Amino acid sequence: MVNICAKRIYGEIFYRLFNTSWGPVGIVVQKGQLIRLLGPGSSKQVLKHHLQKEFKSGIEHQTLLKGVVEDVKRYFDKKTVEFKCKINLFGFSDFSRGVLKACSAIKIGKLISYSELGKKAGRQYAGRAVGRVMAKNPVPIIIPCHRVIRSDGSIGGYSGIQGDELKRHLIEYEKELFRKVE
C-alpha cells in the first residue's frame, strides 16, 4: 500500500532511469520520498529531457528506491504487484490527495468512472474535477489513474508521455493480468 503524505520537503532531488520490458522508466526522489514517476518512454534520453525540463536540477543516482524499481519492473513483466512506497504530494489540495489515495486502492483489472472515483473521495458530483486531478497524477502506474475512465465507457485522456495509446495498452494489459490472477 502506498503511503501518501504532503509535507514540504527540502533537499536535493535525485532521479533514476531504468529499463523495463516496456521501455525506460524514470523516478524522482527527494529525501527518500517518491515525487514523480515518468514513463515508460521511448528512450532514456527522452525521459531525462522531460525530467530536467520539469525539475531544472537533479542528480542521477542508480540505487534509489530499489524496491520501487523492482516492483515497477515486475509489473511490466506481467507479475502482480502491490506497490509499497512513500509518495509525497506536497502542493496538492486535500481533495486532490483524497482522489489520488482513492485511486491507489483500485484493484488491477478493475475500471471505474471519474464520477465513481469522486464519490469514493467524498465528492459525489466531482467527475470533471477528478479528471483534472488524474491529469496531474505525478506517479502513474503506482497510483493507477489509467484505471479511471469516462461514465460512457470511453477511456478519457491520459497525460503520460505516450498519451491515450498507452492508457489503452495498460487497460488491455491489466485485463490479461487480471485473468491470470483470478
Side-chain angles (χ1 to χ4, degrees):
M1 175 136 191
V2 296
N3 178 3
I4 294 175
C5 66
K7 184 177 180 184
R8 178 182 286 278
I9 49 178
Y10 296 95
E12 291 186 289
I13 293 173
F14 295 94
Y15 69 92
R16 180 174 180 183
L17 303 173
F18 57 95
N19 291 315
T20 72
S21 59
W22 281 39
V25 171
I27 59 171
V28 180
V29 175
Q30 193 172 25
K31 292 277 188 184
Q33 298 176 15
L34 187 63
I35 59 173
R36 187 79 166 92
L37 183 140
L38 190 61
S42 57
S43 72
K44 285 185 177 180
Q45 285 302 99
V46 168
L47 290 179
K48 190 172 185 175
H49 171 75
H50 282 281
L51 291 172
Q52 288 173 337
K53 185 177 171 184
E54 185 174 346
F55 291 97
K56 308 290 188 248
S57 67
I59 301 166
E60 190 165 5
H61 193 287
Q62 288 305 311
T63 60
L64 291 173
L65 297 181
K66 288 181 183 177
V68 172
V69 170
E70 291 308 311
D71 283 348
V72 171
K73 288 179 179 181
R74 286 176 45 79
Y75 171 84
F76 287 116
D77 286 338
K78 296 186 177 182
K79 307 282 192 293
T80 56
V81 174
E82 184 179 330
F83 292 102
K84 295 179 180 133
C85 57
K86 191 168 192 174
I87 299 169
N88 193 304
L89 297 176
F90 178 78
F92 284 79
S93 68
D94 289 343
F95 169 72
S96 295
R97 285 192 307 276
V99 167
L100 290 167
K101 185 171 184 162
C103 184
S104 71
I106 303 169
K107 300 293 183 199
I108 195 164
K110 302 293 182 188
L111 300 175
I112 69 169
S113 70
Y114 294 102
S115 57
E116 286 176 278
L117 184 56
K119 288 176 192 172
K120 289 182 182 290
R123 296 271 300 273
Q124 186 168 358
Y125 300 106
R128 286 186 184 200
V130 167
R132 287 189 294 276
V133 172
M134 295 294 95
K136 293 178 182 176
N137 178 6
V139 288
I141 307 300
I142 294 175
I143 297 179
C145 54
H146 58 278
R147 297 177 189 158
V148 185
I149 60 171
R150 291 184 175 154
S151 297
D152 66 5
S154 61
I155 68 161
Y158 194 70
S159 61
I161 290 178
Q162 297 178 33
D164 296 355
E165 181 181 327
L166 178 59
K167 185 172 182 175
R168 276 187 204 86
H169 197 69
L170 287 167
I171 289 169
E172 289 305 312
Y173 176 71
E174 288 191 354
K175 282 182 186 175
E176 181 182 325
L177 271 176
F178 185 68
R179 283 192 289 270
K180 289 182 178 182
V181 173
E182 286 188 312

